[in-house]
Amino acid sequence: MAGVKRKEYPQTGGRARETTKKVKTESRKKVRPITPPSDLEAQTDSDPIVESDTTEHSGDDDGVSWPSDDEETVIPVIKTGIKNVDDGTKTSNHSKGIEKVAGPGGRSNGPHNPTASKEAHAKQKALAQERKAAKPNADSIARAKQLWEKLRIQSKVPLEERKQLIAELFDIITGRVKDFVLKHDSGRVIQTALKYGNLDQRKMIAKELKGEYRGLAESRYAKFMIGKLLVHGDDEIRDLVIPEFYGHVRRMIKHPEAAWILDDVYRGAATPKQKAILLREWYGAEFAIFRSEKDYKPQSDLKLLLTENPEKRAPILRSLFELINQLVQKKTIAFSMLHDAMLQYYLNVVPGSEEATEFVELLKGDEEGDLLKNLAFTKSGSRLVSLALAYSSAKDRKLLLKTYKNTIETLAFDAHGHQVLLAAYDVIDDTVLTAKSIFSEFPTKESKQSESEQHADLFTYVTSLNARIPILYLFVSKPSSILPADDISLLKEIHGIRSTTSKKDPDIRRKELVKALSPSLLSYIAKNAEALLQNSFGCQFVSEVLLNAEGDKSEALGAITSLTESNGETPDYLQSPAASRMLKSLALGGRFNPKTKAIDLADPPLKFNDMLYNKLGSYIVAWMRGPNAFVIVGLLESVDFSHKDELKALIKKHRNELQNAVEETEGLVKDVKDKEGKMMEAGKKGTRLLLKMIEA
């Protein structure tokens, strides 16, 4: 306002703010010396504050005298890059040394002491050491950490020295484990003691911590000690730790620290009985409160619990769904215990009901798809996703399958994940969608890889115990030859469901998928036959694909027959049992059907038998008396073999030679019994069978 003088405020960095009004010249002629804060309050608003706040009042007894107005004092300037308010200049961040800056009245302060900061840090460090030393067990913890530093580098500590260090370490921690375990540094000492201590020493630690395990599980650092204790401990230690979690599962599974150790214990350490007790608590508070430890036989199968107590169905399912939903919303979705609980819920709701629909919406509600992706890699989770695919509508199946985009390869190599792919094969009617979503991520012609990259990756699939299943499943005539027991039981369950939820005939669906996948596999066999036949899984892959694929197989069959001779000899890898079985299957032209007691020929016929016979020529006699004699048996048993009479005449011609080959092995190998206890002829059994066939 007019007539009111504006106040001046101290500027950050110790410089006075410029005012808009013109300052009287008399005020600049004489600058007052720095006054204590108490005296500043007495000054009027017209007195500008011009002293720097980087200069501290040293007191009366610090031995510092103020220079006169004509003297200059050198003071250090903090290199902040902030512009000087008075003159508009900018302090450089890269300037070195001491700058002369005018203090009050044009004066400068004294030179900067370069050792001041070092002394200050030394004082701070000494103070920190004093504080540590004042804490309980400071000396013990310090010595224990010294021992830990030596013990943790296992390769540099001899065995005898390690025993001595461990003995000293246990002398320190015995009776004080609780004091050590909750700290992040001394907690690692306890973990090392568990790793290198003997069983009695580990039990000592476990007993000292009795009653504290739930609290330790909720600790950011101590939870790892529980894992170490269970890994290096025995059944007694396990039974000491896990029961302390009973009654607290619902709280622990929602705790950010305890949830992980609880799930690790549930998945890897708990017995079936302990797992059942832990899982039952998901069904409601009464399962955590009303239980008996002695002679208690818990049952975690929710279907049996609901059968015994049908009146509790609604509260149990509501309690279970609420807990599941809480964890899903918090994105804590990687727990095996959660996946088991979700499966129990889905198995006990009526398909198509409001409860089932709400649950499927929960699965689809995760926009990033993390829930479905995590479910696919556990036993219960993969079964849950497979059942959801089987029960869902065509629209929901498409959404569920879309979630696994860019994850198909990982699913294929996983022990549980590949089940989701098999379920998709068997229930999705839109085979174009299935081929586009799944086959495009396999190393096939639909992928964006070069041919050499495709073939290198496809060999990895073919020779993998898990990844070969989604490749071969569509081609095998007997799925049990490649599927483990869990896969067979799950597919049987899915096939029972799809009869009411899928419209397309299963055989038509399979043929359409085979047609989409065949060209890539036939091309791969034609160009990589030698590498495939040197591996037992590769031999099975070749026989199944060539017998059941659709398309031109001549190039692939020609590649195999060309390998039967190399420099006048049969390669060793073709004389292996796996290669011999493959060649016999191709020679027969199909698979034996136990129901019809006949060979189911491929359509169109392979005619591999004629190709092989013409290629062998004079070497066929060596095959008759060698490991590949059963391949010649397959030629004689083949229905469409064109040179059967010619082959029989050749066998009769060399009967004596074949008989001598059999007699040479009779004294070397004893006859053995088959699975039914009947005597079997050992030695060259294929050659013996050929001789019997021409005599019949």
Side-chain angles (χ1 to χ4, degrees), residues 63-108:
V64 178
S65 61
W66 290 102
S68 64
D69 293 345
D70 299 329
E71 294 176 345
E72 283 189 342
T73 305
V74 180
I75 62 171
V77 176
I78 299 175
K79 311 301 189 297
T80 61
I82 302 175
K83 288 185 177 181
N84 188 311
V85 179
D86 293 330
D87 56 12
T89 60
K90 187 175 181 181
T91 303
S92 172
N93 287 328
H94 302 287
S95 59
K96 298 182 180 179
I98 305 297
E99 294 185 5
K100 291 185 178 182
V101 180
R107 298 190 304 268
S108 299

Short mmCIF file of all heavy atoms in Angstrom, two decimals, residues 63-108:
data_model
loop_
_atom_site.label_atom_id
_atom_site.label_comp_id
_atom_site.label_asym_id
_atom_site.label_seq_id
_atom_site.Cartn_x
_atom_site.Cartn_y
_atom_site.Cartn_z
N GLY A 63 37.75 -17.67 19.90
CA GLY A 63 39.03 -17.13 19.46
C GLY A 63 39.00 -16.47 18.11
O GLY A 63 40.05 -16.21 17.52
N VAL A 64 37.81 -16.16 17.58
CA VAL A 64 37.70 -15.54 16.26
C VAL A 64 37.42 -14.06 16.44
O VAL A 64 36.50 -13.68 17.19
CB VAL A 64 36.57 -16.19 15.44
CG1 VAL A 64 36.44 -15.50 14.08
CG2 VAL A 64 36.87 -17.67 15.27
N SER A 65 38.19 -13.20 15.79
CA SER A 65 37.96 -11.75 15.84
C SER A 65 37.50 -11.30 14.48
O SER A 65 37.94 -11.80 13.46
CB SER A 65 39.25 -11.03 16.25
OG SER A 65 40.27 -11.28 15.31
N TRP A 66 36.59 -10.38 14.48
CA TRP A 66 36.04 -9.90 13.22
C TRP A 66 37.01 -8.96 12.55
O TRP A 66 37.61 -8.10 13.19
CB TRP A 66 34.71 -9.20 13.44
CG TRP A 66 33.63 -10.13 13.84
CD1 TRP A 66 33.13 -10.33 15.09
CD2 TRP A 66 32.92 -10.99 12.98
NE1 TRP A 66 32.16 -11.28 15.08
CE2 TRP A 66 32.00 -11.71 13.78
CE3 TRP A 66 32.97 -11.26 11.60
CZ2 TRP A 66 31.14 -12.64 13.27
CZ3 TRP A 66 32.11 -12.19 11.09
CH2 TRP A 66 31.21 -12.88 11.91
N PRO A 67 37.22 -9.06 11.25
CA PRO A 67 38.12 -8.15 10.54
C PRO A 67 37.51 -6.78 10.40
O PRO A 67 36.29 -6.61 10.53
CB PRO A 67 38.30 -8.82 9.18
CG PRO A 67 37.04 -9.60 9.00
CD PRO A 67 36.64 -10.07 10.37
N SER A 68 38.37 -5.84 10.12
CA SER A 68 37.90 -4.47 9.93
C SER A 68 37.22 -4.34 8.59
O SER A 68 37.25 -5.24 7.76
CB SER A 68 39.09 -3.50 10.03
OG SER A 68 40.00 -3.75 8.99
N ASP A 69 36.63 -3.18 8.37
CA ASP A 69 35.89 -2.98 7.13
C ASP A 69 36.77 -3.02 5.91
O ASP A 69 36.32 -3.28 4.80
CB ASP A 69 35.15 -1.64 7.18
CG ASP A 69 34.06 -1.65 8.24
OD1 ASP A 69 33.72 -2.76 8.69
OD2 ASP A 69 33.55 -0.56 8.58
N ASP A 70 38.07 -2.71 6.09
CA ASP A 70 38.97 -2.65 4.95
C ASP A 70 39.60 -3.98 4.61
O ASP A 70 40.29 -4.11 3.61
CB ASP A 70 40.08 -1.62 5.21
CG ASP A 70 39.50 -0.23 5.40
OD1 ASP A 70 38.45 0.04 4.78
OD2 ASP A 70 40.11 0.54 6.15
N GLU A 71 39.41 -4.98 5.45
CA GLU A 71 40.05 -6.28 5.22
C GLU A 71 39.13 -7.17 4.39
O GLU A 71 37.91 -6.99 4.37
CB GLU A 71 40.36 -6.96 6.55
CG GLU A 71 41.39 -6.25 7.37
CD GLU A 71 41.59 -6.92 8.72
OE1 GLU A 71 40.73 -7.74 9.08
OE2 GLU A 71 42.58 -6.64 9.37
N GLU A 72 39.76 -8.13 3.72
CA GLU A 72 39.01 -9.12 2.94
C GLU A 72 39.15 -10.49 3.60
O GLU A 72 40.22 -10.84 4.08
CB GLU A 72 39.54 -9.23 1.50
CG GLU A 72 39.08 -8.10 0.61
CD GLU A 72 39.44 -8.37 -0.82
OE1 GLU A 72 40.31 -9.25 -1.05
OE2 GLU A 72 38.85 -7.75 -1.69
N THR A 73 38.10 -11.22 3.60
CA THR A 73 38.11 -12.57 4.18
C THR A 73 37.71 -13.56 3.10
O THR A 73 36.76 -13.33 2.36
CB THR A 73 37.11 -12.68 5.35
OG1 THR A 73 37.43 -11.65 6.28
CG2 THR A 73 37.23 -14.04 6.01
N VAL A 74 38.46 -14.66 3.03
CA VAL A 74 38.16 -15.70 2.03
C VAL A 74 37.29 -16.75 2.70
O VAL A 74 37.67 -17.33 3.71
CB VAL A 74 39.45 -16.36 1.52
CG1 VAL A 74 39.11 -17.43 0.50
CG2 VAL A 74 40.33 -15.29 0.89
N ILE A 75 36.12 -17.01 2.15
CA ILE A 75 35.22 -18.04 2.69
C ILE A 75 34.85 -19.00 1.57
O ILE A 75 34.84 -18.63 0.40
CB ILE A 75 33.94 -17.42 3.28
CG1 ILE A 75 33.16 -16.67 2.19
CG2 ILE A 75 34.23 -16.50 4.44
CD1 ILE A 75 31.79 -16.21 2.63
N PRO A 76 34.57 -20.26 1.89
CA PRO A 76 34.16 -21.23 0.85
C PRO A 76 32.74 -20.97 0.39
O PRO A 76 31.91 -20.53 1.17
CB PRO A 76 34.27 -22.58 1.56
CG PRO A 76 34.06 -22.25 3.00
CD PRO A 76 34.65 -20.88 3.21
N VAL A 77 32.49 -21.22 -0.87
CA VAL A 77 31.16 -21.06 -1.43
C VAL A 77 30.64 -22.42 -1.86
O VAL A 77 31.35 -23.16 -2.52
CB VAL A 77 31.18 -20.10 -2.64
CG1 VAL A 77 29.80 -20.01 -3.27
CG2 VAL A 77 31.64 -18.72 -2.19
N ILE A 78 29.40 -22.76 -1.49
CA ILE A 78 28.80 -24.03 -1.92
C ILE A 78 28.47 -23.94 -3.39
O ILE A 78 27.81 -23.00 -3.84
CB ILE A 78 27.53 -24.31 -1.11
CG1 ILE A 78 27.88 -24.42 0.38
CG2 ILE A 78 26.86 -25.57 -1.58
CD1 ILE A 78 26.66 -24.58 1.26
N LYS A 79 28.98 -24.90 -4.16
CA LYS A 79 28.82 -24.86 -5.62
C LYS A 79 27.44 -25.39 -5.99
O LYS A 79 27.24 -26.58 -6.19
CB LYS A 79 29.89 -25.71 -6.30
CG LYS A 79 31.30 -25.44 -5.82
CD LYS A 79 31.71 -24.02 -6.02
CE LYS A 79 33.18 -23.81 -5.75
NZ LYS A 79 33.59 -24.07 -4.40
N THR A 80 26.45 -24.53 -6.00
CA THR A 80 25.09 -24.97 -6.28
C THR A 80 24.61 -24.62 -7.66
O THR A 80 23.58 -25.10 -8.10
CB THR A 80 24.12 -24.34 -5.26
OG1 THR A 80 24.20 -22.94 -5.40
CG2 THR A 80 24.49 -24.74 -3.85
N GLY A 81 25.37 -23.78 -8.35
CA GLY A 81 24.92 -23.37 -9.69
C GLY A 81 23.78 -22.37 -9.64
O GLY A 81 23.13 -22.12 -10.64
N ILE A 82 23.49 -21.76 -8.43
CA ILE A 82 22.39 -20.81 -8.30
C ILE A 82 22.89 -19.42 -8.64
O ILE A 82 23.98 -19.02 -8.23
CB ILE A 82 21.82 -20.84 -6.87
CG1 ILE A 82 21.34 -22.26 -6.56
CG2 ILE A 82 20.69 -19.84 -6.70
CD1 ILE A 82 20.87 -22.42 -5.15
N LYS A 83 22.12 -18.65 -9.35
CA LYS A 83 22.55 -17.32 -9.74
C LYS A 83 22.67 -16.42 -8.53
O LYS A 83 21.88 -16.50 -7.59
CB LYS A 83 21.56 -16.71 -10.72
CG LYS A 83 21.61 -17.35 -12.10
CD LYS A 83 20.71 -16.63 -13.06
CE LYS A 83 20.82 -17.22 -14.46
NZ LYS A 83 19.96 -16.53 -15.41
N ASN A 84 23.66 -15.56 -8.58
CA ASN A 84 23.82 -14.56 -7.53
C ASN A 84 22.68 -13.55 -7.67
O ASN A 84 22.46 -12.98 -8.72
CB ASN A 84 25.18 -13.86 -7.69
CG ASN A 84 25.48 -12.97 -6.53
OD1 ASN A 84 24.66 -12.17 -6.14
ND2 ASN A 84 26.68 -13.11 -6.00
N VAL A 85 21.98 -13.39 -6.59
CA VAL A 85 20.79 -12.54 -6.67
C VAL A 85 21.15 -11.08 -6.88
O VAL A 85 20.47 -10.33 -7.55
CB VAL A 85 19.94 -12.72 -5.40
CG1 VAL A 85 18.70 -11.84 -5.44
CG2 VAL A 85 19.56 -14.17 -5.26
N ASP A 86 22.32 -10.70 -6.28
CA ASP A 86 22.68 -9.28 -6.33
C ASP A 86 23.16 -8.87 -7.71
O ASP A 86 22.75 -7.85 -8.25
CB ASP A 86 23.74 -8.97 -5.29
CG ASP A 86 23.19 -9.12 -3.87
OD1 ASP A 86 21.97 -8.91 -3.70
OD2 ASP A 86 23.96 -9.47 -2.98
N ASP A 87 24.08 -9.68 -8.29
CA ASP A 87 24.70 -9.22 -9.53
C ASP A 87 24.33 -10.05 -10.75
O ASP A 87 24.84 -9.80 -11.83
CB ASP A 87 26.22 -9.18 -9.37
CG ASP A 87 26.77 -10.52 -8.95
OD1 ASP A 87 26.02 -11.51 -9.01
OD2 ASP A 87 27.95 -10.57 -8.57
N GLY A 88 23.49 -11.08 -10.55
CA GLY A 88 23.04 -11.86 -11.70
C GLY A 88 24.03 -12.86 -12.20
O GLY A 88 23.78 -13.56 -13.15
N THR A 89 25.23 -12.94 -11.58
CA THR A 89 26.22 -13.92 -12.04
C THR A 89 25.85 -15.29 -11.54
O THR A 89 25.08 -15.44 -10.61
CB THR A 89 27.62 -13.54 -11.53
OG1 THR A 89 27.59 -13.52 -10.13
CG2 THR A 89 28.05 -12.20 -12.08
N LYS A 90 26.45 -16.33 -12.14
CA LYS A 90 26.14 -17.73 -11.81
C LYS A 90 27.38 -18.43 -11.30
O LYS A 90 28.44 -18.33 -11.89
CB LYS A 90 25.62 -18.46 -13.05
CG LYS A 90 25.12 -19.86 -12.75
CD LYS A 90 24.51 -20.48 -13.98
CE LYS A 90 24.00 -21.86 -13.70
NZ LYS A 90 23.41 -22.48 -14.90
N THR A 91 27.22 -19.09 -10.17
CA THR A 91 28.34 -19.83 -9.59
C THR A 91 28.56 -21.10 -10.39
O THR A 91 27.62 -21.86 -10.61
CB THR A 91 28.05 -20.19 -8.13
OG1 THR A 91 27.77 -18.99 -7.43
CG2 THR A 91 29.23 -20.88 -7.50
N SER A 92 29.76 -21.37 -10.82
CA SER A 92 30.06 -22.55 -11.65
C SER A 92 30.13 -23.80 -10.79
O SER A 92 30.69 -23.79 -9.71
CB SER A 92 31.38 -22.36 -12.38
OG SER A 92 31.76 -23.55 -13.02
N ASN A 93 29.54 -24.92 -11.29
CA ASN A 93 29.64 -26.20 -10.61
C ASN A 93 30.99 -26.84 -10.80
O ASN A 93 31.32 -27.81 -10.15
CB ASN A 93 28.57 -27.16 -11.14
CG ASN A 93 27.19 -26.78 -10.63
OD1 ASN A 93 27.07 -26.26 -9.52
ND2 ASN A 93 26.16 -27.02 -11.44
N HIS A 94 31.78 -26.34 -11.76
CA HIS A 94 33.05 -26.97 -12.09
C HIS A 94 34.25 -26.18 -11.58
O HIS A 94 35.39 -26.55 -11.85
CB HIS A 94 33.17 -27.12 -13.61
CG HIS A 94 32.05 -27.90 -14.18
ND1 HIS A 94 31.92 -29.27 -14.05
CD2 HIS A 94 30.96 -27.51 -14.89
CE1 HIS A 94 30.83 -29.68 -14.65
NE2 HIS A 94 30.23 -28.64 -15.16
N SER A 95 34.02 -25.05 -10.90
CA SER A 95 35.14 -24.27 -10.40
C SER A 95 35.82 -24.98 -9.26
O SER A 95 35.19 -25.73 -8.53
CB SER A 95 34.65 -22.90 -9.94
OG SER A 95 33.69 -23.04 -8.92
N LYS A 96 37.10 -24.79 -9.13
CA LYS A 96 37.89 -25.50 -8.12
C LYS A 96 38.53 -24.47 -7.19
O LYS A 96 38.70 -23.29 -7.52
CB LYS A 96 38.98 -26.35 -8.77
CG LYS A 96 38.42 -27.43 -9.68
CD LYS A 96 39.54 -28.27 -10.27
CE LYS A 96 39.00 -29.34 -11.18
NZ LYS A 96 40.06 -30.16 -11.78
N GLY A 97 38.93 -24.96 -6.03
CA GLY A 97 39.69 -24.13 -5.10
C GLY A 97 38.78 -23.25 -4.28
O GLY A 97 37.60 -23.52 -4.09
N ILE A 98 39.32 -22.15 -3.80
CA ILE A 98 38.61 -21.24 -2.91
C ILE A 98 38.29 -19.98 -3.68
O ILE A 98 39.14 -19.39 -4.35
CB ILE A 98 39.46 -20.89 -1.67
CG1 ILE A 98 39.91 -22.17 -0.97
CG2 ILE A 98 38.70 -19.98 -0.74
CD1 ILE A 98 38.75 -22.99 -0.44
N GLU A 99 37.04 -19.56 -3.62
CA GLU A 99 36.66 -18.33 -4.27
C GLU A 99 36.57 -17.23 -3.22
O GLU A 99 36.18 -17.47 -2.08
CB GLU A 99 35.30 -18.49 -4.96
CG GLU A 99 35.33 -19.48 -6.11
CD GLU A 99 34.00 -19.51 -6.82
OE1 GLU A 99 33.12 -18.71 -6.46
OE2 GLU A 99 33.85 -20.32 -7.73
N LYS A 100 36.94 -16.04 -3.62
CA LYS A 100 36.82 -14.89 -2.74
C LYS A 100 35.45 -14.26 -2.98
O LYS A 100 35.14 -13.85 -4.08
CB LYS A 100 37.92 -13.86 -3.01
CG LYS A 100 39.30 -14.34 -2.61
CD LYS A 100 40.32 -13.24 -2.79
CE LYS A 100 41.71 -13.70 -2.34
NZ LYS A 100 42.71 -12.64 -2.47
N VAL A 101 34.66 -14.25 -1.92
CA VAL A 101 33.33 -13.66 -2.00
C VAL A 101 33.22 -12.60 -0.93
O VAL A 101 33.57 -12.85 0.24
CB VAL A 101 32.24 -14.73 -1.81
CG1 VAL A 101 30.87 -14.09 -1.89
CG2 VAL A 101 32.40 -15.81 -2.85
N ALA A 102 32.77 -11.47 -1.30
CA ALA A 102 32.68 -10.37 -0.34
C ALA A 102 31.65 -10.67 0.71
O ALA A 102 30.54 -11.10 0.40
CB ALA A 102 32.33 -9.08 -1.06
N GLY A 103 32.02 -10.52 1.94
CA GLY A 103 31.10 -10.69 3.05
C GLY A 103 30.42 -9.38 3.34
O GLY A 103 30.38 -8.47 2.52
N PRO A 104 29.89 -9.26 4.53
CA PRO A 104 29.23 -8.01 4.90
C PRO A 104 30.21 -6.86 4.84
O PRO A 104 31.32 -6.93 5.35
CB PRO A 104 28.77 -8.28 6.33
CG PRO A 104 28.69 -9.78 6.42
CD PRO A 104 29.76 -10.28 5.54
N GLY A 105 29.78 -5.79 4.19
CA GLY A 105 30.63 -4.61 4.09
C GLY A 105 31.82 -4.80 3.21
O GLY A 105 32.83 -4.13 3.35
N GLY A 106 31.78 -5.78 2.28
CA GLY A 106 32.89 -6.02 1.38
C GLY A 106 33.96 -6.88 1.98
O GLY A 106 35.01 -7.04 1.39
N ARG A 107 33.70 -7.46 3.18
CA ARG A 107 34.71 -8.29 3.81
C ARG A 107 34.62 -9.72 3.31
O ARG A 107 33.60 -10.16 2.80
CB ARG A 107 34.53 -8.25 5.33
CG ARG A 107 34.69 -6.87 5.94
CD ARG A 107 34.73 -7.00 7.46
NE ARG A 107 33.56 -7.67 7.97
CZ ARG A 107 32.45 -7.04 8.35
NH1 ARG A 107 32.38 -5.72 8.25
NH2 ARG A 107 31.44 -7.71 8.84
N SER A 108 35.68 -10.52 3.49
CA SER A 108 35.71 -11.96 3.17
C SER A 108 36.13 -12.71 4.42
O SER A 108 36.91 -12.20 5.22
CB SER A 108 36.69 -12.26 2.03
OG SER A 108 36.29 -11.58 0.87
#
